[in-house]
Amino acid sequence: MVVKNICCIGAGYVGGPTMAVIAYKCPGIKVTVVDVNEARVKSWNDKDVSNIPIYEPGLEDIIAEVRGRNLFFSTDVEKAIDEAEMIFISVNTPTKTYGLGKGKAADLKYIELCARQIASVAKTDKIVVEKSTLPVRTAEAIKSILDNTGNGVKFQILSNPEFLAEGTAVQDLLNPDRVLIGGGNDEGGTIAINALADVYASWVDRHKILTTNVWSSELSKLTANAFLAQRVSSINAMSELCEKTGADVNEVAMAIGMDSRIGSKFLKASVGFGGSCFQKDILNLVYIAKSYGLNEVADYWEQVVIMNDHQKRRFASNIIKTLYNTVSGKKIVFLGWAFKKDTNDTRESAAIYVADDLLNEQANIAVYDPKVSEPKILNDLDYLGTRSETENRKGVEVYSDPYEACKDAYAIAVLTEWDEFKSYDWGKIYKNMRKPAFVFDGRNILDGEMLKSIGFVFQSIGK
Ligand code: UDX
Ligand code: ADP
């Protein structure tokens, strides 16, 4: 079977870049990305490609080339479903904020809505591809909805988890380590798997396209994210010990990373991991393990999140302690708000939680981030619900110029590892700050010796 028409439901951080790359590499396939969020679709269609709703290096160029050629963004979900032979589901699956599994299980209401909509619209057989990260056995639930509410047409369900990391999404999509496709092993399943594998084979080596059963594929995604997050929590645990003992966490990371069994990646100590996936996926894993009565397995993985929360909290409390146990009325600058560099995504960013702790101590927070907008920053704090919108606006000021942000500040905290922070005129920044001027490097990116020679009191995670 040759796929000519693809629909993707959800034009977010996963759906947008993934479909852009499929359209770019497969000019013979018409790709339509649909979303219920009209504003988001409007931005994807903005004549000026620099206004697309997500920032990813390299994405604007691809969008400029393929949008209107074989890539389309639309709010007409039903038309796109009707026309497509293959439908990707890339909607959000946040952690549940209510009811059973609150705070741990994935909220599948958007997925279920999609399944019901596909079932009611489809008049021809469809291949439905789960792209969103989902609890194991979600494909089964989708299949049950499709088969029981559909118009008698046949559905094949595939799991095709996305492994792209934000900030490097385009590169990850163009050169993936592997593509994973889970599907049924009957004839229909095999045809569907091959159809999707053929799409990827336009630019990915066949030997990198793995096929498994649906549940292995679903669980592999959760496992990959749990292992990656565990590495960050492991090095962060060591960073606290380094600070007490005089060891340097960068040196420790380098020394262990040269062991080929350990490997050098994902060993950067930080103020804590953020992003939409790690915490959500681990909590989801914990919930699944508990639901099978596997309490030791659940506790083991939950500790990765507990360590991460501790790292964020201790970064904030260290700032307070160092500033003579009071930050009330003091201006503290946040360099960076995004959860990592090269993205405008702020979901679960450590900056939000560090700001929350400092606002509780009545600090005045000044934020500068090269890509995150003021409404997003304020909305992140409002969403926490710790204090009123008025109080958040009183305590937080967002700047478009880092030098202005740092004027009259008592301390600077580096929350995101944006490259531009390294090349600032730190002498100029120092001159305009209150003395003693403190820098807390939560990302281990600044040259501490240089800053100390200017006059800063400098502290870095793990040193
Ligand atoms: C992650 C997975 O990497 C990706 O495969 C999956 O598809 C989605 O989840 P993402 O969340 O976009 O991707 O970014 P990632 O690069 O994994 O970083 C996650 C968080 O960990 C960031 O806050 C990052 O700053 C932090 N991190 C990462 C560290 O603190 N230290 C490291 O060494 C690596
Ligand atoms: P991710 O990082 O997984 O891509 P996002 O939140 O960035 O998550 O994107 C998910 C998108 O899915 C959102 O833009 C949201 O509006 C969209 N969405 C959610 N449910 C539906 C639905 N039933 N139909 C169409 N779009 C949906």
Side-chain angles (χ1 to χ4, degrees), residues 54-89:
I54 68 173
Y55 173 71
E56 272 297 337
L59 185 59
E60 286 172 19
D61 293 343
I62 291 184
I63 294 288
E65 191 170 332
V66 297
R67 199 180 51 189
R69 181 187 83 181
N70 62 328
L71 176 68
F72 303 90
F73 293 92
S74 161
T75 49
D76 195 342
V77 182
E78 299 201 346
K79 178 162 176 273
I81 291 174
D82 181 38
E83 287 177 358
E85 298 109 35
M86 182 175 272
I87 301 162
F88 287 79
I89 302 185

Side-chain angles (χ1 to χ4, degrees), residues 162-166 221 225 228 232 266-268 270 273-274 277-278 339-340 443:
E162 190 45 72
F163 294 108
L164 68 82
E166 289 175 28
K221 167 73 180 188
N225 277 343
L228 290 168
V232 179
F266 257 75
L267 288 178
K268 267 200 87 57
S270 70
F273 60 74
C277 285
F278 282 0
F339 82 97
K340 63 187 279 198
R443 291 289 183 166

Side-chain angles (χ1 to χ4, degrees), residues 248 250 414 421-422 426 430 437-441 443-461 463:
D248 176 332
N250 286 349
V414 178
F421 300 159
K422 292 185 241 177
W426 284 95
Y430 180 78
F438 294 88
V439 172
F440 299 92
D441 186 355
R443 291 289 183 166
N444 233 319
I445 55 162
L446 297 178
D447 179 345
E449 292 314 311
M450 180 268 289
L451 292 177
K452 282 184 205 159
S453 74
I454 291 172
F456 282 104
V457 181
F458 178 77
Q459 289 187 19
S460 187
I461 285 279
K463 288 186 181 168

Side-chain angles (χ1 to χ4, degrees), residues 283-324:
L283 293 178
N284 195 352
L285 196 61
V286 168
Y287 183 74
I288 293 169
K290 279 221 171 104
S291 70
Y292 287 107
L294 308 178
N295 292 328
E296 289 78 6
V297 177
D299 291 348
Y300 176 76
W301 286 110
E302 190 161 19
Q303 197 60 35
V304 173
V305 173
I306 293 172
M307 183 64 222
N308 196 50
D309 285 338
H310 169 68
Q311 189 76 347
K312 292 182 269 189
R313 203 159 305 120
R314 86 180 180 87
F315 185 74
S317 66
N318 180 46
I319 294 177
I320 298 161
K321 204 168 69 204
T322 309
L323 295 183
Y324 317 106

Side-chain angles (χ1 to χ4, degrees), residues 14 56 133 161-168 172 178 221 224-225 228-229 231-233 235-236 264-278 281 308 338-341 343 345 347-350 415-417 442-443:
V14 172
E56 272 297 337
T133 314
E162 190 45 72
F163 294 108
L164 68 82
E166 289 175 28
T168 53
D172 295 344
R178 77 315 206 176
K221 167 73 180 188
N225 277 343
L228 290 168
R231 273 175 82 93
V232 179
S233 274
I235 199 72
N236 281 346
S264 61
K265 291 183 182 158
F266 257 75
L267 288 178
K268 267 200 87 57
S270 70
V271 57
F273 60 74
S276 70
C277 285
F278 282 0
D281 288 355
N308 196 50
F339 82 97
K340 63 187 279 198
K341 73 172 180 180
T343 179
D345 194 354
R347 286 176 287 180
E348 290 302 326
S349 178
L415 274 304
T416 313
E417 72 280 26
R443 291 289 183 166

Side-chain angles (χ1 to χ4, degrees), residues 238-239 241-252 462-463:
M238 289 307 159
S239 74
L241 196 55
C242 287
E243 288 165 27
K244 295 284 180 226
T245 56
D248 176 332
V249 77
N250 286 349
E251 293 177 353
V252 173
K463 288 186 181 168

